[in-house]
């Protein structure tokens, strides 16, 4: 069973204790992300004059926006991966089909070469017979 980690992080100038099954480094990374978002929003004109509730709402909206953008990007990557998997499957299928055709063509060439050898031998035999008859 996974071990629950607890760590203290600094978010918005306040020390908060976070706990979870993720690593302490991950929890610190989440806190850093939140601090960066708060700093980013704090640089917007008029943001500092907003009520705490409005600031929290804007922060939540920005985090949700990042989440949905990242989720959509992940979906695009997944669709791209699936398309590449299908393409790779099709290419493998084409390769196998080509290999089968090549093997069949090689067998046909070998058969034709065998027939040519037999016919050349028959021609030689007939030429010898003709020479004997003309003597």
């Amino acid at each position: 069973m996974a071990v629950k980690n607890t760590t203290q992080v600094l978010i918005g100038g306040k020390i908060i204790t976070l706990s979870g099954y993720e690593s302490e480094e991950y929890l610190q990374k989440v806190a850093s992300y939140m601090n960066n978002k708060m700093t980013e929003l704090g640089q917007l004109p008029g943001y500092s004059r907003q009520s705490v509730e409005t600031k929290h709402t804007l922060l939540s909206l920005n985090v949700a926006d990042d989440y949905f953008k990242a989720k959509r990007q992940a979906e695009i990557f997944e669709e791209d991966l699936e398309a590449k998997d299908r393409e790779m499957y099709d290419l493998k299928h084409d390769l196998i089909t080509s290999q089968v055709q090549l093997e069949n063509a090689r067998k046909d060439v070998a058969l034709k070469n065998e027939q040519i050898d037999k016919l050349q031998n028959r021609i030689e035999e007939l030429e010898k017979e003709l020479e004997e008859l003309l003597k």
Side-chain angles (χ1 to χ4, degrees):
M1 183 174 231
V3 177
K4 194 170 188 178
N5 293 308
T6 300
T7 189
Q8 290 187 334
V9 297
L10 184 64
I11 299 177
K14 295 179 184 176
I15 295 176
I16 299 172
T17 301
L18 293 180
S19 63
Y21 293 104
E22 295 82 6
S23 68
E24 289 183 30
E25 292 80 18
Y26 176 80
L27 297 174
Q28 291 290 344
K29 188 175 179 179
V30 170
S32 175
Y33 169 80
M34 292 301 293
N35 281 321
N36 288 337
K37 272 293 163 190
M38 293 168 79
T39 301
E40 182 182 312
L41 289 172
Q43 294 174 350
L44 295 175
Y47 180 78
S48 60
R49 293 186 302 248
Q50 300 298 321
S51 69
V52 173
E53 184 178 320
T54 301
K55 288 179 183 179
H56 286 293
T57 301
L58 290 172
L59 178 62
S60 298
L61 287 170
N62 274 266
V63 170
D65 180 53
D66 287 350
Y67 167 78
F68 284 111
K69 285 177 181 174
K71 185 178 176 185
R72 179 62 190 140
Q73 191 64 45
E75 289 169 355
I76 290 170
F77 287 148
E78 185 67 29
E79 290 167 4
D80 190 40
L81 179 62
E82 288 174 7
K84 288 181 193 270
D85 283 347
R86 282 191 301 274
E87 182 180 354
M88 187 169 60
Y89 175 82
D90 290 344
L91 289 171
K92 284 181 180 179
H93 182 267
D94 291 347
L95 175 63
I96 291 169
T97 300
S98 296
Q99 287 173 333
V100 168
Q101 289 173 344
L102 176 61
E103 186 59 33
N104 288 338
R106 284 181 176 158
K107 286 178 184 176
D108 285 347
V109 167
L111 182 63
K112 297 297 180 193
N113 283 337
E114 205 175 290
Q115 289 174 344
I116 289 171
D117 288 344
K118 285 181 183 177
L119 290 173
Q120 284 177 338
N121 288 339
R122 180 68 178 138
I123 289 171
E124 288 174 9
E125 288 172 8
L126 290 172
E127 285 177 346
K128 285 180 186 175
E129 281 181 32
L130 182 60
E131 276 180 27
E132 289 177 13
L133 287 172
L134 292 175
K135 286 185 183 179

